[in-house]
Amino acid sequence: MDAQENKAWGMDPPGHQCINMRGIMEDKEIPLLIAHIERSLGKMDDYRKDTDDKNPFILVTAYKNQPCEDCTTLVTLGLSNHLLNRDGRDYRMELILAFQNSVLYYDAVSLLMSFGQYVITKHKALLRGDVIGPATPIMPDIKMTALYASCPTIFDDDLAVFEESDPPTIFVWLLPIYTKEAEFIYENGWSIFEDILIEKDPNLLDFHRESIV
């Protein structure tokens, strides 16, 4: 393990820590959910919790070299224990954040953990095409200011839905976007934005990419 990788994977940065999974596994659905994720992403490499017990409980799990070499995928675990609602319909969901390893690991963990806690406190489900923001930059040294809710199309199709819960658990891929991309979606709709994504095919794992609009 080189120095940079050790910095990313070998430390407990302020705000979250690696914990024992044993107590969490007492929830009968969690082992099935982990197995569902690992069928698509491989064996879990790390998991973190918030050190502040006043915040809603949620784990962030990590999978190295997914969906490609020199990338990392983070997935929440435990968000689906909370029943969310949207327009009178109930949902369960977990969140995905994937990035090139040029992004600092603990910054990405903090982003996904805090956003997952935000979703829990709002009790509002995310739907495809939702934009959260724009606001301040999503993490240090990153100019993107918003998150876009998408289907996890970059992964194995089987990952998208976990059928063993009631209602089924949907996996939402969070894409960091720029302010002008967020404004474009608000003005023109998410389907047109996704058409441009398909046409221009940017590297969505690169949080330093150029804006597509």
Side-chain angles (χ1 to χ4, degrees), residues 43-199:
K43 184 176 176 58
M44 184 192 307
D45 291 293
D46 191 27
Y47 42 90
R48 303 274 160 165
K49 72 175 285 289
D50 196 334
T51 56
D52 188 347
D53 292 334
K54 295 178 182 178
N55 291 327
F57 180 82
I58 191 173
L59 287 184
V60 171
T61 63
Y63 304 84
K64 296 174 66 175
N65 296 316
Q66 290 291 342
C68 56
E69 291 291 323
D70 298 321
C71 293
T72 298
T73 292
L74 304 179
V75 185
T76 59
L77 190 63
L79 177 59
S80 57
N81 289 338
H82 300 265
L83 200 60
L84 307 176
N85 190 273
R86 185 73 172 265
D87 301 327
R89 181 178 175 183
D90 290 334
Y91 295 85
R92 296 190 191 277
M93 56 186 47
E94 300 288 355
L95 307 175
I96 299 171
L97 185 69
F99 51 92
Q100 291 181 335
N101 288 344
S102 57
V103 172
L104 285 181
Y105 174 66
Y106 55 80
D107 287 342
V109 169
S110 294
L111 171 64
L112 189 59
M113 188 177 296
S114 60
F115 186 75
Q117 292 166 341
Y118 168 82
V119 171
I120 291 171
T121 58
K122 293 296 183 182
H123 297 287
K124 184 178 180 180
L126 295 171
L127 300 182
R128 181 181 181 184
D130 279 352
V131 175
I132 303 88
T136 57
I138 59 170
M139 63 178 71
D141 302 319
I142 301 295
K143 295 181 179 179
M144 294 169 168
T145 58
L147 293 171
Y148 176 77
S150 184
C151 300
T153 52
I154 199 170
F155 303 98
D156 187 312
D157 290 345
D158 292 338
L159 177 62
V161 181
F162 173 65
E163 300 282 359
E164 302 300 317
S165 61
D166 182 22
T169 298
I170 299 168
F171 285 78
V172 178
W173 182 18
L174 297 176
L175 302 179
I177 59 175
Y178 292 100
T179 295
K180 59 184 177 180
E181 292 175 328
E183 292 171 345
F184 179 90
I185 296 167
Y186 286 133
E187 293 174 5
N188 299 280
W190 64 266
S191 61
I192 295 178
F193 178 71
E194 292 203 358
D195 287 343
I196 297 173
L197 281 178
I198 293 171
E199 176 186 350

